[in-house]
Amino acid sequence: MAQSTLDSMPGASTGTVVVTEPLNFWGGKRVKPREEKNAEPVFEPATGRVLCQMVPCGAEEVDEAIQSAYAAYQKWSKMAGMERARVMLEAARIIRERREKIAKLEVINNGKSITEALVDIDIAWQSIEYYAGLAGTLAGQHIQLPGGAFAYTRREPLGVCVGIGAWNYPFQIASWKSAPALACGNAMVFKPSPMTPVTAVILAEIYKEAGVPDGLFCVVQGGAETGSLLCHHPKVAKVSFTGSVPTGKKVMEMSAKSVKQVTLELGGKSPLIIFKDCELENAVKGALMANFLTQGEVCCNGTRVFVQREIMPQFLEEVVKRTKAIPVGDPLLGSTRMGPLISKPQLEKVLGFVSQAKKEGARVLCGGDPFVPSDPKLKGGYFMSPCVLGTSNTLVNGGTAHAQSALFFNTQSLSTDNCRDDMTCVKEEIFGPVMSVLPFDTEEEVIQRANNTTFGLASGVFTRDISRAHRVAASMEAGTCFINNYNINPIELPFGGYKMSGFGRENGQVTIEYYSQLKTVVVEMGDVESLF
């Protein structure tokens, strides 16, 4: 089993890795591209240098991968659930054994801190282990009918499923999508983001090593054109997509042409509501977790932080102080808490949102600028300082807000410094380390404002009032509501959106329903009663 890329990880450091192995995988092995003419450079975000070349798969390669997956599905689907479980448990074990190496490669390709990447790899093996545990429990029902007749249901796999991943959690998303698919007896063809192509193929090798039939988990590289080929292929039964709303709409439209099942996990502009009776220390930590994980490149981030007016000065002072203290730099260092954004265009886009926010009247309380680390090898990286948008001159100058809170919140002239609901930075998904803080007065008001968005992926509330906490959670038009915490997503819990944030779920027992189908079998034990 070729593992030269992983084997080089223990001694690797930022700016040293070059990936030369083929990034496609089907038929139980890595597959070289047929042509190199459409190769696209893949950059290491921390340095801006070229990490490898990504060559998109064409129609013949996509078909070859899907045919390979279909052949493997014919074998895998006939195995007992417990047989599939044993193979999946072995895959989880191998990932655990190599977590540090996989995490390091993930960091080099994605830019997130090694501390976060290690957690991502743990969640990946936990996902596979969790669905291995469910594989042997899949069952139907027996229904008694009149006259001794009966019926039963069978839960059966769909066939070949396509997974299309995003660049913020490359290895984890590949695991999230493949684990329930394989547990139900399906095969999967996975297309990573063209910006993060290097770790999904590692997962394919691990599945192979664990004992799945050759072709059961295939990896094809490419962008929109390759994705289109996958969505239109007649042998594909389902498409699970993670990414932006516009691309999700296209995936749904293409899949509809042949009535494929679709799961969409799209964008978000999630509200985090902080009431004056909260435990402020936890609320501040929750807001930081809700905005700055993976450089803010997280779809469920709580980027609209609504703070009850009475505690706004204390909250802002503490949030700004801690945001300024976030260590930004080499993502492979254990002390780093924020690495580079994924690409130069993404960095420019996020900085553009900050600039637009200032034009629309928001005040930058800290950050929001390009950041150049002191390490010379990081000069070309895509770094920025984490940003808080809100209000108060005292905070901008590093002063204390407590002494001026009464003046601050009773002075109409300062109201234009607040973020407003109609600002671009508050309405649109930024996908970068930018927190927008907005004041509110009443529970009724903030619920209405929090739900006034086309998105509905996540939400959060901090309060000591248990009744209020559950009232707010029930009122949120979102797939998840966190109470007194944020961005906690154990594999046991379903994850997905309302409204334009998508439909279908990942994780949890319910996801079995999205990777299987029910067949009803009716058994007559007597004579047929005919009208003819």
Side-chain angles (χ1 to χ4, degrees), residues 76 133 213 224 266 291 316 350 378 395 397-398 400 447 481 487 516 532:
W76 183 251
L266 308 178
N291 280 270
L316 280 180
V350 175
L378 306 178
L395 286 170
N397 297 326
T400 300
I447 288 172
C481 184
N487 270 339
S516 61
F532 306 102

Short mmCIF file of all heavy atoms in Angstrom, two decimals, residues 76 133 213 224 266 291 316 350 378 395 397-398 400 447 481 487 516 532:
data_model
loop_
_atom_site.label_atom_id
_atom_site.label_comp_id
_atom_site.label_asym_id
_atom_site.label_seq_id
_atom_site.Cartn_x
_atom_site.Cartn_y
_atom_site.Cartn_z
N TRP A 76 -20.47 -5.59 -1.75
CA TRP A 76 -20.62 -5.02 -0.41
C TRP A 76 -22.06 -5.09 0.08
O TRP A 76 -22.32 -5.39 1.25
CB TRP A 76 -20.12 -3.58 -0.46
CG TRP A 76 -20.11 -2.81 0.83
CD1 TRP A 76 -20.93 -1.79 1.18
CD2 TRP A 76 -19.19 -2.95 1.92
NE1 TRP A 76 -20.60 -1.29 2.41
CE2 TRP A 76 -19.52 -1.98 2.89
CE3 TRP A 76 -18.10 -3.79 2.17
CZ2 TRP A 76 -18.83 -1.84 4.08
CZ3 TRP A 76 -17.41 -3.64 3.37
CH2 TRP A 76 -17.78 -2.69 4.32
N GLY A 133 -21.23 0.72 14.18
CA GLY A 133 -22.12 0.21 15.22
C GLY A 133 -23.56 0.10 14.79
O GLY A 133 -24.32 -0.74 15.30
N PRO A 213 -14.23 -3.99 -0.64
CA PRO A 213 -14.00 -4.41 -2.03
C PRO A 213 -13.38 -3.26 -2.83
O PRO A 213 -13.70 -2.09 -2.60
CB PRO A 213 -15.40 -4.74 -2.54
CG PRO A 213 -16.22 -4.99 -1.33
CD PRO A 213 -15.65 -4.12 -0.25
N ALA A 224 -16.21 22.20 -11.14
CA ALA A 224 -17.63 22.20 -11.49
C ALA A 224 -17.96 21.21 -12.61
O ALA A 224 -18.99 20.53 -12.57
CB ALA A 224 -18.05 23.61 -11.89
N LEU A 266 -25.58 23.48 3.11
CA LEU A 266 -25.15 24.71 2.44
C LEU A 266 -24.69 25.76 3.45
O LEU A 266 -24.21 25.42 4.52
CB LEU A 266 -26.30 25.22 1.56
CG LEU A 266 -26.86 24.16 0.59
CD1 LEU A 266 -28.02 24.71 -0.22
CD2 LEU A 266 -25.78 23.62 -0.34
N ASN A 291 -17.06 32.04 16.03
CA ASN A 291 -16.61 32.89 14.94
C ASN A 291 -15.23 32.59 14.38
O ASN A 291 -14.96 32.88 13.22
CB ASN A 291 -16.65 34.35 15.38
CG ASN A 291 -18.04 34.93 15.33
OD1 ASN A 291 -18.46 35.47 14.31
ND2 ASN A 291 -18.77 34.82 16.42
N LEU A 316 -18.16 43.50 24.83
CA LEU A 316 -17.24 43.94 23.78
C LEU A 316 -15.82 44.09 24.28
O LEU A 316 -14.87 43.72 23.60
CB LEU A 316 -17.73 45.27 23.19
CG LEU A 316 -18.87 45.19 22.16
CD1 LEU A 316 -19.23 46.58 21.69
CD2 LEU A 316 -18.50 44.31 20.99
N VAL A 350 -12.76 38.36 1.97
CA VAL A 350 -13.08 38.65 3.37
C VAL A 350 -12.65 40.07 3.74
O VAL A 350 -13.40 40.81 4.39
CB VAL A 350 -12.40 37.62 4.30
CG1 VAL A 350 -12.62 37.99 5.77
CG2 VAL A 350 -12.97 36.22 4.02
N LEU A 378 6.56 32.46 5.85
CA LEU A 378 5.11 32.67 5.82
C LEU A 378 4.73 33.98 5.15
O LEU A 378 3.55 34.34 5.15
CB LEU A 378 4.55 32.64 7.25
CG LEU A 378 4.89 31.41 8.10
CD1 LEU A 378 4.30 31.55 9.50
CD2 LEU A 378 4.37 30.13 7.43
N LEU A 395 -13.24 51.34 22.95
CA LEU A 395 -12.64 50.03 22.71
C LEU A 395 -11.60 50.10 21.60
O LEU A 395 -10.60 49.40 21.64
CB LEU A 395 -13.73 49.02 22.36
CG LEU A 395 -14.58 48.60 23.56
CD1 LEU A 395 -15.78 47.80 23.09
CD2 LEU A 395 -13.78 47.80 24.55
N ASN A 397 -9.63 52.44 21.04
CA ASN A 397 -8.40 53.01 21.59
C ASN A 397 -7.81 52.18 22.72
O ASN A 397 -6.86 52.59 23.37
CB ASN A 397 -8.68 54.43 22.09
CG ASN A 397 -9.11 55.35 20.96
OD1 ASN A 397 -8.63 55.19 19.84
ND2 ASN A 397 -10.03 56.27 21.22
N GLY A 398 -8.43 51.03 23.00
CA GLY A 398 -7.90 50.15 24.02
C GLY A 398 -8.33 50.53 25.42
O GLY A 398 -7.83 49.99 26.41
N THR A 400 -11.25 51.34 28.64
CA THR A 400 -12.22 50.51 29.35
C THR A 400 -13.62 51.02 29.11
O THR A 400 -13.88 52.22 29.22
CB THR A 400 -11.92 50.51 30.86
OG1 THR A 400 -10.61 50.00 31.04
CG2 THR A 400 -12.92 49.66 31.61
N ILE A 447 -35.60 37.56 18.59
CA ILE A 447 -36.02 36.34 17.87
C ILE A 447 -36.45 36.69 16.46
O ILE A 447 -36.08 36.01 15.48
CB ILE A 447 -37.14 35.62 18.64
CG1 ILE A 447 -36.57 34.96 19.90
CG2 ILE A 447 -37.82 34.58 17.74
CD1 ILE A 447 -37.62 34.38 20.82
N CYS A 481 -29.77 24.39 17.51
CA CYS A 481 -29.69 25.51 18.43
C CYS A 481 -28.83 25.09 19.62
O CYS A 481 -29.12 24.09 20.29
CB CYS A 481 -31.06 25.95 18.93
SG CYS A 481 -30.97 27.42 20.00
N ASN A 487 -20.92 25.53 18.51
CA ASN A 487 -20.08 24.70 17.63
C ASN A 487 -19.66 23.40 18.29
O ASN A 487 -18.52 22.94 18.17
CB ASN A 487 -18.85 25.48 17.15
CG ASN A 487 -19.14 26.22 15.84
OD1 ASN A 487 -20.08 25.87 15.12
ND2 ASN A 487 -18.35 27.23 15.54
N SER A 516 -30.52 5.00 2.53
CA SER A 516 -31.18 3.71 2.32
C SER A 516 -32.60 3.96 1.83
O SER A 516 -33.09 5.09 1.82
CB SER A 516 -31.21 2.90 3.63
OG SER A 516 -31.93 3.59 4.63
N PHE A 532 -62.51 -10.18 -10.72
CA PHE A 532 -62.67 -10.49 -12.14
C PHE A 532 -62.74 -11.99 -12.38
O PHE A 532 -62.23 -12.79 -11.61
CB PHE A 532 -61.49 -9.89 -12.93
CG PHE A 532 -61.30 -8.43 -12.66
CD1 PHE A 532 -60.29 -7.98 -11.80
CD2 PHE A 532 -62.14 -7.49 -13.23
CE1 PHE A 532 -60.11 -6.65 -11.54
CE2 PHE A 532 -61.96 -6.15 -12.97
CZ PHE A 532 -60.95 -5.72 -12.13
#
